[in-house]
Amino acid sequence: MVSKVPDTETTTGITPPRHRFASRMRRTGKSFIREILKVTEDPGVISFAGGLPNPAFFDVQGISEAASEVLAEDGRSALQYSTTEGYLPLRTFIAGRYKTRLGLTVSPDEILITNGSQQCLDLLGKVFLDAGDHVAIERPGYLGAIQAFSLYEPVFDPVPLEPDGPEATHLDSVLSGSPVRIFYGVPNSQNPSGITWSGEKRRDIARILADKGTVFVEDDAYGEIRFSGDTLPSMRQFIPDQTIITGSFSKILSPGMRLGWICAPGDIMEKVVIAKQASDLHSNFLSQQIASRYLAQNDLDSHIRKIRNGYLRQCSLMAGLIRESFPDGVSFTEPQGGMFIWLTLPEGCSSMEVFDLALRKKVAVLPGLPFYVDGGGTDTLRLNFSNSTEEKIIAGVERLADVVRTVGKNS
Amino acid sequence: MVSKVPDTETTTGITPPRHRFASRMRRTGKSFIREILKVTEDPGVISFAGGLPNPAFFDVQGISEAASEVLAEDGRSALQYSTTEGYLPLRTFIAGRYKTRLGLTVSPDEILITNGSQQCLDLLGKVFLDAGDHVAIERPGYLGAIQAFSLYEPVFDPVPLEPDGPEATHLDSVLSGSPVRIFYGVPNSQNPSGITWSGEKRRDIARILADKGTVFVEDDAYGEIRFSGDTLPSMRQFIPDQTIITGSFSKILSPGMRLGWICAPGDIMEKVVIAKQASDLHSNFLSQQIASRYLAQNDLDSHIRKIRNGYLRQCSLMAGLIRESFPDGVSFTEPQGGMFIWLTLPEGCSSMEVFDLALRKKVAVLPGLPFYVDGGGTDTLRLNFSNSTEEKIIAGVERLADVVRTVGKNS
């Protein structure tokens, strides 16, 4: 039996509300991912379904020391209200790192600290999107962005992903149609596909965006955990006035501290500050100070090298096992960074059937359906490699290979 | 010269944006309060303009110990992603406190942890308000709520505040007009007026809301810091299915940790969870664990007693000095809690003129204008007493008395 994707409130089994809610609430149900994660909370399940970083790489000791020092030295300030834009030394650190890592000249005034990079997406939806506005997004596209933007009731224009990035002619034709407010994409190790846009593709896309004057939202959650290949330029290098970068400490320090940021040109930042202030005044100031102090007295590059090496090992192990043990007709991305392998099943093989049978065998995977704003992707799966031990990767992929073979035979 | 309130983008001196923003962004400018606070950042200025709790009452030592223990005992969990609803032990604590403090039976499932109570207002705007929907709000009303809701483009229906709470017949007639989605109010020590709704008024208002089926948003940021008079019932006691309470640790523990919560019946909570997840996945998990541990091993009641006693002293000092030194024709609330005294100037005396002249004398006050959604309030001022030492209260009120006398003579 094929499970149904609970993507609207009518399918979640909730009785009709007595209260009258905003129409935007009809457009989204509970996250498919979160619902799946609940099913897979059973500790006996090997889960490749989630998107958690590996907690073995959290520097608990270093963060604990930074926390003690911040509270000892000026605790009253760290516990008080602060500015909407965020802690200046932290914003200065982020701006400086854009210089050293990507050669970008960014002013701390162009940085605002958010509650993780998910909040960037909500704030940008708030700033840019009226109901009915068009948003271009990669196909498949990041589910968190689809959820955040959906509540502003836009029309999504999916742009197919090729192995080297979005299909340029398709983007051009989309942008030549109805006015598109923003193009949202993840050029480095995209979630879910694992694809990294090539340098040449970046230039092509930038040229199209410059021509149309469309704002690009560059979600760079994974740029720092690129474990093979050269560092590629940010779109800000080509179209600085039209590029907003969203960044995150979730993959390099700690997701629980909810620290992300928006990097945007001044005229856009002006609006983002207003939206942030109305949304929650400012981000957690204690955590901002802890992170800032941690970054000032620890070697972030060496910390990130550990994460990259670990993820490269986990990714290579999973990819190698899939190559050896999965039936013919299965294809998958070999990502150069990030946390996911994206898998396409043989023709006629349904990812929801694989999901159902795998869960019975105590392995959780994420069907690709919710990443497609226009339907489709029924033969795709996303596998997370960052949050499993090598033993679990070995055991999980073995069980999954059997499941895919079984489902393939029955289809 | 009278300063202008910069309440729209046309008055902030920004050149017209090159990018096209959502229409909601035209409805709000930068916060008047934040702009004023920038002017008053000069350490030589005695500021009664802000709304900061007294940092002398932050238990830095206790929070530091809790932080060390959380990170030492299970740091990897505290630094990892967590659930949208929030840390269950913290939600259980909050639910339990509703029982002991107000006699309310609340399930932890009815509590969701937010980034300070400002985020409650944003989430509730998102869940309830389509553009053009009506929101009833006290007159004067809390500026943070006006800002948060404004971005959902509602029509505000102001309900005049009397000394014992909102004018019931006015509310009745507002709710009998266009359908009102929510009535937002602050029954305990309202910001800005300092007014506390009487027990009788609460029952009257509840009866009207029950009759019309309107949802009440009870902002209870100040309920715990009520320093005189009995504890009064929450509206949830009268209309449990229609009452949403927003709460905050900002005034009792630390605003910098950005921990608030929404307490709502299940059918509403279902929608709030969806909105929260799309907004930022979840609140800072490290801070949630620190707060939870702090609350488990410290006596919150004794901590709150210290705050109440301190604020009562500061409030009484300021009120006494105003009574002694201000000219005839000035009236003001004597609040039973909270952080503000609300002052009405003599007829014809402009609060913007008082603001301008006071700032030249190095005292900052907050003119009441931005608290009025329909204009008016030009003769009102909000004075914060919680964040000034006794010396500053004495010196500041003395200078302010001179200013009011001068402006009164010239008007």
Side-chain angles (χ1 to χ4, degrees):
Chain A
M1 203 202 74
V2 178
S3 307
K4 263 193 88 175
V5 181
D7 59 348
T8 75
E9 71 182 29
T10 56
T11 61
T12 55
I14 304 303
T15 50
R18 289 163 303 130
H19 302 295
R20 187 275 200 183
F21 299 104
S23 69
R24 69 177 68 84
M25 299 310 296
R26 288 197 296 268
R27 301 188 30 127
T28 181
K30 276 199 172 177
S31 158
F32 182 59
I33 288 190
R34 279 203 174 262
E35 295 304 298
I36 281 192
L37 291 185
K38 273 187 195 158
V39 180
T40 62
E41 262 168 10
D42 175 353
V45 169
I46 295 175
S47 180
F48 303 141
L52 304 189
N54 192 333
F57 297 117
F58 297 162
D59 183 358
V60 176
Q61 180 63 28
I63 288 173
S64 183
E65 281 165 20
S68 295
E69 290 171 24
V70 161
L71 286 163
E73 286 176 24
D74 193 9
R76 289 196 206 289
S77 141
L79 297 175
Q80 186 58 286
Y81 282 111
S82 184
T83 60
T84 299
E85 291 82 353
Y87 187 47
L88 185 59
L90 184 61
R91 291 157 57 213
T92 305
F93 176 91
I94 293 166
R97 197 157 174 90
Y98 278 124
K99 189 74 188 175
T100 53
R101 186 166 75 90
L102 297 169
L104 296 175
T105 301
V106 172
S107 155
D109 291 343
E110 294 177 295
I111 308 279
L112 174 139
I113 307 294
T114 59
N115 307 316
S117 70
Q118 180 70 24
Q119 193 188 33
C120 303
L121 306 173
D122 178 54
L123 294 176
L124 294 173
K126 206 172 230 180
V127 162
F128 282 106
L129 303 179
D130 284 319
D133 276 351
H134 285 247
V135 172
I137 185 167
E138 295 154 310
R139 179 181 195 275
Y142 174 49
L143 183 53
I146 296 170
Q147 291 180 320
F149 294 152
S150 284
L151 289 180
Y152 297 96
E153 304 178 272
V155 176
F156 286 108
D157 294 322
V159 180
L161 269 180
E162 299 175 323
D164 67 343
E167 207 181 283
T169 53
H170 192 101
L171 178 67
D172 199 348
S173 91
V174 159
L175 300 189
S176 305
S178 308
V180 172
R181 294 306 163 208
I182 51 178
F183 175 33
Y184 166 85
V186 189
N188 293 319
S189 308
Q190 197 242 12
N191 182 354
S193 73
I195 284 170
T196 292
W197 302 10
S198 70
E200 198 175 325
K201 181 58 75 85
R202 291 172 198 231
R203 273 185 297 275
D204 290 349
I205 299 289
R207 215 171 289 127
I208 295 168
L209 292 166
D211 182 44
K212 310 292 183 188
T214 308
V215 169
F216 181 61
V217 176
E218 174 173 305
D219 185 336
D220 193 29
Y222 306 107
E224 290 270 22
I225 49 171
R226 183 164 165 79
F227 44 70
S228 57
D230 296 331
T231 298
L232 291 165
S234 161
M235 297 286 277
R236 181 171 158 127
Q237 187 168 314
F238 308 118
I239 44 171
D241 296 345
Q242 283 167 249
T243 301
I244 300 167
I245 312 176
T246 70
S248 175
F249 286 114
S250 291
K251 276 75 188 181
I252 54 177
L253 276 192
S254 151
M257 289 169 78
R258 308 306 299 125
L259 292 175
W261 65 88
I262 292 180
C263 169
D267 59 333
I268 295 173
M269 184 52 75
E270 175 90 12
K271 302 295 181 189
V272 170
V273 171
I274 292 168
K276 170 71 180 171
Q277 188 180 293
S279 292
D280 60 4
L281 297 183
H282 65 79
S283 292
N284 190 298
F285 192 46
L286 177 59
S287 281
Q288 289 184 66
Q289 286 217 22
I290 294 171
S292 179
R293 179 169 284 257
Y294 176 86
L295 294 165
Q297 57 199 25
N298 289 275
D299 180 355
L300 182 61
D301 287 314
S302 126
H303 179 66
I304 287 176
R305 260 195 307 277
K306 278 186 221 155
I307 300 174
R308 283 184 194 149
N309 291 339
Y311 285 9
L312 174 59
R313 254 196 325 273
Q314 289 171 283
C315 179
S316 303
L317 176 65
M318 184 180 272
L321 291 168
I322 292 172
R323 200 176 298 109
E324 284 169 22
S325 60
F326 272 45
D328 287 347
V330 166
S331 61
F332 62 97
T333 54
E334 297 209 44
Q336 301 175 321
M339 314 198 304
F340 306 105
I341 285 178
W342 180 248
L343 200 136
T344 305
L345 297 166
E347 180 117 18
C349 192
S350 149
S351 60
M352 287 308 298
E353 283 182 64
V354 169
F355 169 76
D356 284 339
L357 185 56
L359 202 56
R360 269 180 270 155
K361 309 259 179 191
K362 303 278 186 194
V363 181
V365 297
L366 190 66
L369 288 72
F371 297 96
Y372 290 80
V373 289
D374 54 352
T378 54
D379 56 351
T380 58
L381 286 178
R382 193 191 74 178
L383 303 179
N384 169 261
F385 55 77
S386 59
N387 194 34
S388 292
T389 59
E390 303 204 346
E391 295 68 39
K392 285 191 174 173
I393 290 175
I394 293 168
V397 172
E398 190 182 319
R399 287 185 224 168
L400 204 51
D402 286 343
V403 167
V404 172
R405 208 167 283 117
T406 306
V407 171
K409 275 185 197 138
N410 299 343
S411 64
Chain B
M1 204 201 73
V2 178
S3 307
K4 262 193 89 174
V5 181
D7 60 348
T8 74
E9 70 181 33
T10 56
T11 61
T12 55
I14 304 302
T15 50
R18 289 162 303 130
H19 303 295
R20 188 276 200 183
F21 299 105
S23 68
R24 69 176 69 84
M25 298 310 295
R26 288 197 296 266
R27 303 190 26 129
T28 180
K30 277 200 172 176
S31 159
F32 182 59
I33 288 191
R34 279 202 175 262
E35 295 304 299
I36 281 192
L37 292 185
K38 272 186 197 160
V39 180
T40 63
E41 263 169 10
D42 176 354
V45 168
I46 295 176
S47 179
F48 303 141
L52 305 189
N54 191 334
F57 297 118
F58 297 163
D59 184 358
V60 176
Q61 181 61 30
I63 287 174
S64 183
E65 280 165 20
S68 295
E69 289 170 23
V70 161
L71 285 163
E73 285 176 24
D74 194 9
R76 289 196 206 291
S77 140
L79 297 177
Q80 186 56 288
Y81 281 112
S82 184
T83 61
T84 300
E85 292 82 352
Y87 187 47
L88 185 57
L90 185 60
R91 291 157 59 213
T92 305
F93 176 91
I94 293 165
R97 197 157 174 90
Y98 277 125
K99 189 74 187 174
T100 53
R101 185 166 75 92
L102 296 168
L104 296 175
T105 301
V106 172
S107 155
D109 292 342
E110 294 177 295
I111 308 280
L112 174 139
I113 307 294
T114 58
N115 307 316
S117 69
Q118 180 71 22
Q119 194 188 33
C120 303
L121 305 174
D122 178 54
L123 294 175
L124 294 173
K126 205 172 230 179
V127 162
F128 283 105
L129 302 180
D130 285 318
D133 277 351
H134 285 247
V135 172
I137 185 166
E138 295 153 311
R139 180 180 194 276
Y142 174 50
L143 183 54
I146 295 170
Q147 291 181 319
F149 295 152
S150 284
L151 289 181
Y152 297 96
E153 305 177 90
V155 175
F156 286 108
D157 294 321
V159 181
L161 269 179
E162 299 174 324
D164 67 342
E167 207 182 283
T169 53
H170 192 101
L171 178 67
D172 199 347
S173 91
V174 159
L175 300 188
S176 306
S178 308
V180 171
R181 295 306 162 207
I182 51 178
F183 174 34
Y184 166 85
V186 189
N188 293 319
S189 309
Q190 197 242 12
N191 182 353
S193 73
I195 284 170
T196 292
W197 302 10
S198 71
E200 198 175 323
K201 181 57 75 86
R202 290 172 198 233
R203 273 185 296 274
D204 290 350
I205 299 288
R207 215 172 289 128
I208 295 168
L209 292 167
D211 182 44
K212 310 292 183 189
T214 308
V215 168
F216 181 61
V217 176
E218 174 173 303
D219 185 336
D220 193 28
Y222 306 105
E224 290 270 21
I225 48 172
R226 183 165 166 79
F227 44 70
S228 57
D230 297 331
T231 297
L232 291 165
S234 162
M235 297 286 279
R236 183 171 159 127
Q237 188 170 312
F238 307 117
I239 44 171
D241 297 345
Q242 283 168 249
T243 301
I244 300 166
I245 311 176
T246 70
S248 175
F249 285 114
S250 292
K251 277 75 188 181
I252 55 178
L253 277 191
S254 150
M257 289 169 77
R258 309 304 300 126
L259 292 174
W261 65 88
I262 291 180
C263 169
D267 60 333
I268 295 172
M269 184 52 74
E270 175 89 12
K271 303 294 180 190
V272 170
V273 172
I274 292 168
K276 171 71 181 171
Q277 188 180 296
S279 292
D280 60 4
L281 297 183
H282 65 78
S283 293
N284 190 298
F285 193 45
L286 176 60
S287 281
Q288 290 184 65
Q289 287 217 23
I290 294 171
S292 180
R293 179 170 284 257
Y294 175 86
L295 293 165
Q297 56 199 27
N298 289 275
D299 181 354
L300 181 62
D301 287 314
S302 125
H303 179 65
I304 288 176
R305 259 195 308 277
K306 278 185 221 158
I307 300 174
R308 283 185 194 148
N309 290 340
Y311 284 10
L312 174 59
R313 254 196 325 273
Q314 290 171 282
C315 179
S316 304
L317 176 65
M318 185 179 270
L321 291 168
I322 292 173
R323 199 175 299 109
E324 284 168 23
S325 60
F326 272 45
D328 286 348
V330 166
S331 62
F332 61 98
T333 53
E334 297 210 43
Q336 299 175 322
M339 314 197 303
F340 307 105
I341 286 179
W342 181 246
L343 199 135
T344 306
L345 298 166
E347 180 116 19
C349 191
S350 149
S351 59
M352 287 308 298
E353 283 181 63
V354 169
F355 168 77
D356 285 337
L357 185 56
L359 201 58
R360 269 179 271 155
K361 309 258 180 192
K362 303 279 188 193
V363 181
V365 298
L366 190 65
L369 288 72
F371 297 96
Y372 290 79
V373 290
D374 54 352
T378 53
D379 56 352
T380 58
L381 286 178
R382 194 192 73 177
L383 303 180
N384 169 261
F385 55 77
S386 59
N387 193 35
S388 292
T389 59
E390 304 204 344
E391 294 69 38
K392 284 191 174 172
I393 291 175
I394 293 167
V397 172
E398 190 181 320
R399 287 185 224 168
L400 204 50
D402 286 342
V403 167
V404 171
R405 208 166 283 117
T406 306
V407 171
K409 274 184 199 137
N410 298 343
S411 64

